[in-house]
Amino acid sequence: MSTAAASASATAANLEQRRMPFWKRNQRRLAPALFLAPGALMFLVYVILPIFESIWISFYQWDGLSEMTWIGLSNYTELLGDPAFYTSLWNNVLWLVLYLLAIPAGLMIAIFLNQNVIGIRVYKSLFFFPFVISQVVVGLIFSWFYAPNIGLFPQITDALGLGKIAVLADARFVTYGIIAAGLWPQIAYCMILYLTGLNNVSPEQVEAGRLDNAKGWRMLWYVILPQLRPATFIAMVVTVIGALRSFDLVSIMTDGGPYGTSRVLSFYMYEQALSEYGYRMGYGAAIAVVLFLIMMLFITGFIWRMVITEREG
Amino acid sequence: MFPRPIERAGTGGRALYQVALPVSLIIWLLPLIGIAITSIRPASDLANGNYFGVPSQIALSNYLDVFRQSPMAQYLFNSLRITVPAVIGAVALSCLTGFALATYRFRTNLLVFFIFVAGNFVPFQILMVPVRDLTLKLGLYDTVTGLVLFHVAFQTGFCTLFMRNFIKALPFELLESARVEGVSEFRIFWHIVLPLMRPAIAALSVLVFTFVWNDYFWALVLTQGAGAQPVTAGLYTLNGQWVASWQLVSAGAIVAALPPVAMFFLMQRHFIAGLTLGATKG
């Protein structure tokens, strides 16, 4: 009897379901697709597909207007013999390595500011300030700072007995000068990440550390830094991406000069593809692909770690 | 608390800290202070070599000159016309995508999520040629709309990461019980989840406002003249024109920086909450 009743009710439920309109029956299954569609479509058209298009364009010779000519790997072999490419690549390495200094520097400032005195909130905001303004403005600020005669920096080097150094006009210093300008907002960013992290450090562990006589560096290294790991991870991600994305400052401060010595890959690509030097879209795309591959090395690492945390939590 | 609270230090240590704070801040902001002073220095001071002394008078006229001698007002207006729709678009789209990725289980969920995350990290240059080409074909080159569409699409990546993680942390039982009651998926989104997302929407809006306002690269690639160019690209042009007029360049730079700075100080809490997402867990 019970089976008969159960099957009867099952049929009833089935009938009930059939009578429900298509939408009501399937909305749980269709809803995610519908919610995703607009955003995913935009992202696909403007971000995902262009990546593959660029890779494809890099095998062509193309001025952006006339017919595209397939030239296979020629753009890449040309890159291998292009001294400007190596200059840009080397500068990118410099950017990457020196930019990472933003992480310890940001941590130092965060530790310095992590106090409860009157007005400290204002100090924190003002220290963070450089991150809010655009890189174009940062570039102009530092162009003034370095400007011969009128700027502050040559005065400082002069007072130190080094003579008036015109940083942006000197091939030896120009990239370091631009990186210093880039570090300014980047340190601010890392600082705010660490301030938030320090805010959440467990007081019990710090007290326990103090009881164990951990002080200063030892405390920082063994007790504090392990708890700041999430902040360090994000600081690492944004700093590496920021270093490889550097374009604005180079464009504003030197336009790649003097004599192309301050170019980075992102800037060189733009110069080749879209500036008065000619519209070499294919060659530009090949430079972009190289930059993309370098970036992918890091992105894959970052995503890998994020997937692991995602699976765990 | 780390480091040890300064109140527990001796009088000397406390006094030292109180002195070190303003001194370090001045050093930190030295270039900015310099340019702020230059922006109110009369041109005659610069001509006479008074670069670092006290300005002979406060020449607010530099700011007026910036507006009189250049299309600065138009640039600012363009920035606004680009930034506001881009913020609304990206935040709206990511409310939807974030909701989908946070509340439904389907096979490609994590894959789609990480495509959004990864796309967000790629160098702009790999997108440049195709996006410019697409914009040209749509007839949107050198228009505000062309820039808005790109910014909406690109920022959706970051915003989806943010929204999805935010919704994931919301109490899920609420949603489940609504489903049991037979509330439709769209009503759940609209009446239950969206109201809870208000802090995330605020945080993202301020952040994306700053990102889009400060964009320079795409302005160079997708626009040409003062008709559609935002203030960042405009400043680059003006910098070329005002070669020796540092008082004008400085004033222009400060004008261009003000809107995001105002946004930051007004919405500081949201801004930092957005920026430091994940800095404490994960």
Side-chain angles (χ1 to χ4, degrees):
Chain A
M1 184 226 134
S2 64
T3 34
S7 85
S9 80
T11 330
N14 212 354
L15 274 175
E16 179 72 21
Q17 270 222 321
R18 291 255 171 89
R19 251 182 274 124
M20 275 161 82
F22 172 79
W23 171 242
K24 274 224 140 143
R25 265 184 288 133
N26 290 298
Q27 65 159 318
R28 281 290 302 267
R29 248 173 351 112
L30 291 177
L34 289 172
F35 278 115
L36 271 176
L41 195 72
M42 286 288 279
F43 203 68
L44 189 72
V45 169
Y46 273 100
V47 182
I48 305 302
L49 292 180
I51 297 173
F52 296 99
E53 270 178 84
S54 277
I55 297 173
W56 180 68
I57 292 170
S58 74
F59 299 117
Y60 285 85
Q61 188 171 41
W62 189 39
D63 62 3
L65 292 168
S66 43
E67 281 295 292
M68 296 169 76
T69 323
W70 172 268
I71 53 168
L73 288 171
S74 298
N75 283 326
Y76 292 95
T77 44
E78 187 183 340
L79 266 186
L80 290 178
D82 181 354
F85 169 70
Y86 290 107
T87 310
S88 312
L89 193 62
W90 170 242
N91 282 339
N92 262 127
V93 174
L94 276 182
W95 268 87
L96 198 57
V97 173
L98 293 176
Y99 232 49
L100 288 174
L101 292 177
I103 298 173
L107 176 62
M108 262 170 53
I109 299 182
I111 291 173
F112 174 61
L113 291 178
N114 194 34
Q115 293 289 349
N116 277 320
V117 297
I118 299 158
I120 196 72
R121 283 177 54 99
V122 180
Y123 277 106
K124 287 177 185 169
S125 306
L126 288 172
F127 265 92
F128 180 62
F129 197 68
F131 180 75
V132 185
I133 52 190
S134 103
Q135 297 248 314
V136 172
V137 175
V138 172
L140 288 178
I141 291 176
F142 273 81
S143 297
W144 169 84
F145 188 64
Y146 291 139
N149 295 321
I150 188 172
L152 212 48
F153 188 76
Q155 304 294 321
I156 298 172
T157 55
D158 199 32
L160 295 174
L162 299 165
K164 292 189 174 177
I165 298 176
V167 178
L168 298 182
D170 193 320
R172 286 171 300 168
F173 307 126
V174 62
T175 295
Y176 299 98
I178 304 175
I179 295 173
L183 277 171
W184 194 45
Q186 195 63 34
I187 289 172
Y189 193 175
C190 295
M191 173 205 84
I192 207 80
L193 289 170
Y194 278 122
L195 272 175
T196 313
L198 283 171
N199 223 350
N200 288 286
V201 161
S202 123
E204 291 84 23
Q205 289 199 33
V206 176
E207 283 315 313
R210 292 222 165 100
L211 290 179
D212 285 343
N213 236 346
K215 264 190 231 151
W217 288 109
R218 287 172 53 85
M219 174 74 107
L220 180 65
W221 189 256
Y222 292 105
V223 182
I224 306 298
L225 274 183
Q227 294 188 63
L228 291 177
R229 224 173 260 153
T232 308
F233 175 67
I234 296 184
M236 194 84 161
V237 174
V238 295
T239 303
V240 167
I241 303 287
L244 291 173
R245 275 218 180 130
S246 54
F247 170 90
D248 301 8
L249 290 173
V250 176
S251 167
I252 288 288
M253 294 173 77
T254 63
D255 244 328
Y259 309 110
T261 46
S262 63
R263 283 182 185 126
V264 286
L265 286 176
S266 60
F267 183 80
Y268 188 45
M269 183 277 168
Y270 173 79
E271 211 176 48
Q272 287 296 319
L274 265 193
S275 71
E276 64 262 42
Y277 296 94
Y279 279 54
R280 300 190 63 198
M281 301 283 179
Y283 195 55
I287 302 170
V289 170
V290 173
L291 182 60
F292 175 70
L293 291 178
I294 298 173
M295 204 90 122
M296 272 322 268
L297 285 180
F298 294 98
I299 299 176
T300 335
F302 296 148
I303 298 272
W304 184 248
R305 209 205 103 141
M306 288 170 85
V307 171
I308 290 171
T309 2
E310 194 62 43
R311 292 242 168 93
E312 281 170 355
Chain B
M1 193 174 155
F2 182 85
R4 189 181 286 274
I6 200 80
E7 301 95 79
R8 283 197 233 155
T11 339
R14 278 205 304 267
L16 189 69
Y17 188 69
Q18 290 296 353
V19 174
L21 269 179
V23 170
S24 57
L25 183 67
I26 289 172
I27 295 172
W28 179 241
L29 293 181
L30 199 58
L32 186 68
I33 296 167
I35 214 152
I37 294 175
T38 308
S39 78
I40 53 165
R41 204 178 273 286
S44 56
D45 273 21
L46 294 173
N48 296 332
N50 178 12
Y51 300 139
F52 306 106
V54 180
S56 61
Q57 62 177 86
I58 293 174
L60 290 174
S61 59
N62 289 336
Y63 284 87
L64 285 177
D65 286 342
V66 164
F67 283 95
R68 273 196 224 117
Q69 295 180 14
S70 76
M72 180 57 85
Q74 179 70 38
Y75 289 140
L76 287 170
F77 180 57
N78 290 341
S79 280
L80 203 66
R81 286 195 297 156
I82 294 162
T83 310
V84 172
V87 170
I88 296 173
V91 172
L93 287 185
S94 61
C95 282
L96 300 174
T97 50
F99 176 74
L101 292 172
T103 54
Y104 299 100
R105 287 163 167 268
F106 51 96
R107 238 178 330 124
T108 49
N109 186 316
L110 263 194
L111 179 72
V112 173
F113 176 61
F114 279 110
I115 288 177
F116 275 117
V117 177
N120 184 42
F121 291 145
V122 299
F124 292 147
Q125 284 69 25
I126 192 96
L127 313 178
M128 185 185 100
V129 175
V131 167
R132 184 173 175 277
D133 211 36
L134 175 69
T135 309
L136 276 167
K137 279 186 186 139
L138 292 172
L140 295 174
Y141 180 74
D142 201 22
T143 66
V144 165
T145 319
L147 266 177
V148 169
L149 283 179
F150 174 79
H151 283 309
V152 168
F154 189 79
Q155 296 298 338
T156 296
F158 171 73
C159 295
T160 299
L161 162 68
F162 189 101
M163 286 296 190
R164 182 262 193 187
N165 286 352
F166 186 86
I167 300 173
K168 265 240 139 133
L170 293 177
F172 200 68
E173 303 78 41
L174 212 62
L175 248 124
E176 278 305 313
S177 58
R179 272 185 189 146
V180 171
E181 297 285 323
V183 183
S184 82
E185 297 300 315
F186 287 92
R187 296 173 66 93
I188 292 179
F189 170 70
W190 191 259
H191 292 292
I192 300 177
V193 177
L194 209 53
L196 293 173
M197 280 161 76
R198 253 184 239 142
I201 292 173
L204 265 186
S205 302
V206 211
L207 269 186
V208 174
F209 182 92
T210 316
F211 292 160
V212 175
W213 183 281
N214 289 343
D215 162 68
Y216 167 67
F217 181 74
W218 291 102
L220 279 193
V221 172
L222 298 180
T223 59
Q224 229 166 8
Q229 259 182 350
V231 70
T232 44
L235 266 185
Y236 175 74
T237 317
L238 295 180
N239 187 34
Q241 285 168 16
W242 293 333
V243 178
S245 310
W246 276 107
Q247 79 283 10
L248 294 183
V249 174
S250 315
I254 287 184
V255 169
L258 276 182
V261 167
M263 197 62 140
F264 166 66
F265 279 106
L266 290 175
M267 310 269 290
Q268 208 180 132
R269 201 167 47 87
H270 290 301
F271 192 98
I272 290 177
L275 212 55
T276 54
L277 169 90
T280 53
K281 61 166 175 56

